[in-house]
Amino acid sequence: MLVAAAVCPSAPLLVPEVAAGAAFELDALRAACADAVGVLAASRPDRLVVIGPAEQPDRGRHHEGARGSFREFGVDLDVRLGTPPATPSEDAGADRALPSSLAVAAWLLRGWAAAPLEGLGVGEPLEQDRCAATGAMIASTADRVALLVMGDGSACRTLKAPGYLDERAAPFDASVAAALAAADTEALAALDAELAEALQAAGRAPWQVLAGAAQGAGLAGQLLYEDAPYGVGYFVATWT
């Protein structure tokens, strides 16, 4: 059963070494993310699942101890998703590198020792019903499951945004923020996948997995951060 969830951006700029000279601009965002991870630890989960957007071939499960890197962003920094198990997994692909969203999560979770964890990379095209089914399955895997859900809002909030300015971006992000603040699973599940793709909102599928996992759990939401630095919608929220 899902007992807690945290939502954080998947932007590599969260990592100060990646942001370099502009790192201070996201200090408030990093502080909110740290608070959200603290809420997860306080929930005393039996299991933590980290969910984030991923491209092929990085979709699917990533085991505890999987390695990630920020070298593609010009930074000589490696991370691990939790602690490597004493007995390495024999599953195919167990040694795959983490997608960037889960590498950011691994950076946020450095020092995590509250519960065993694993990652799940989900693709942007994943249909809403499959997102819901995936979330429900994850929530059923332990008595006390927690989720760390990585993903960004629209990338079209300003003229200098990665996706340029789109007048639909601000209303879309406002609807996401309201759903996260209210722990509104129905509103998240109803997000328009085609619109999200057009607005380059990489969090749509992970958020809808969260909606599936939280269905019937009776969690309350709190929005800790909402802004669009660099023209991209970033949210931090907790559900408990």
Side-chain angles (χ1 to χ4, degrees):
M1 177 178 180
L2 186 69
V3 296
V7 173
C8 293
S10 58
L13 288 173
L14 268 175
V15 179
E17 290 88 342
V18 175
F24 71 94
E25 297 176 0
L26 296 181
D27 281 347
L29 175 57
R30 292 187 194 95
C33 290
D35 289 344
V37 170
V39 168
L40 293 181
S43 72
R44 297 178 290 107
D46 299 323
R47 182 173 184 243
L48 173 66
V49 180
V50 184
I51 303 169
E55 300 293 336
Q56 293 287 18
D58 297 328
R59 296 172 186 169
R61 294 179 64 193
H62 293 266
H63 296 276
E64 184 161 13
R67 294 179 180 273
S69 173
F70 295 98
R71 296 174 191 272
E72 65 178 294
F73 305 103
V75 175
D76 186 14
L77 176 65
D78 297 326
V79 291
R80 279 188 180 270
L81 187 64
T83 304
T87 303
S89 172
E90 296 181 358
D91 290 0
D95 294 329
R96 291 181 304 148
L98 296 170
S100 64
S101 64
L102 298 188
V104 174
W107 181 83
L108 289 174
L109 291 167
R110 59 202 187 281
W112 172 270
L117 61 86
E118 69 175 276
L120 178 65
V122 298
E124 182 178 356
L126 194 66
E127 300 90 346
Q128 288 104 317
D129 58 347
R130 290 189 60 195
C131 289
T134 299
M137 180 274 295
I138 291 171
S140 70
T141 57
D143 289 338
R144 300 183 63 82
V145 176
L147 297 182
L148 174 55
V149 183
M150 310 297 292
D152 302 339
S154 69
C156 304
R157 292 281 293 271
T158 67
L159 292 173
K160 294 184 178 180
Y164 196 65
L165 177 65
D166 190 313
E167 63 184 12
R168 300 170 295 176
F172 176 88
D173 283 351
S175 69
V176 172
L180 293 175
D184 189 337
T185 58
E186 292 186 2
L188 283 184
L191 289 174
D192 187 320
E194 291 186 2
L195 177 60
E197 183 176 6
L199 296 175
Q200 301 180 27
R204 191 275 306 172
W207 298 331
Q208 290 186 328
V209 173
L210 166 61
Q215 191 68 39
L219 302 181
Q222 183 177 9
L223 190 65
L224 305 183
Y225 181 96
E226 176 196 3
D227 203 354
Y230 319 122
V232 181
Y234 292 156
F235 314 99
V236 181
T238 56
W239 290 14
T240 55

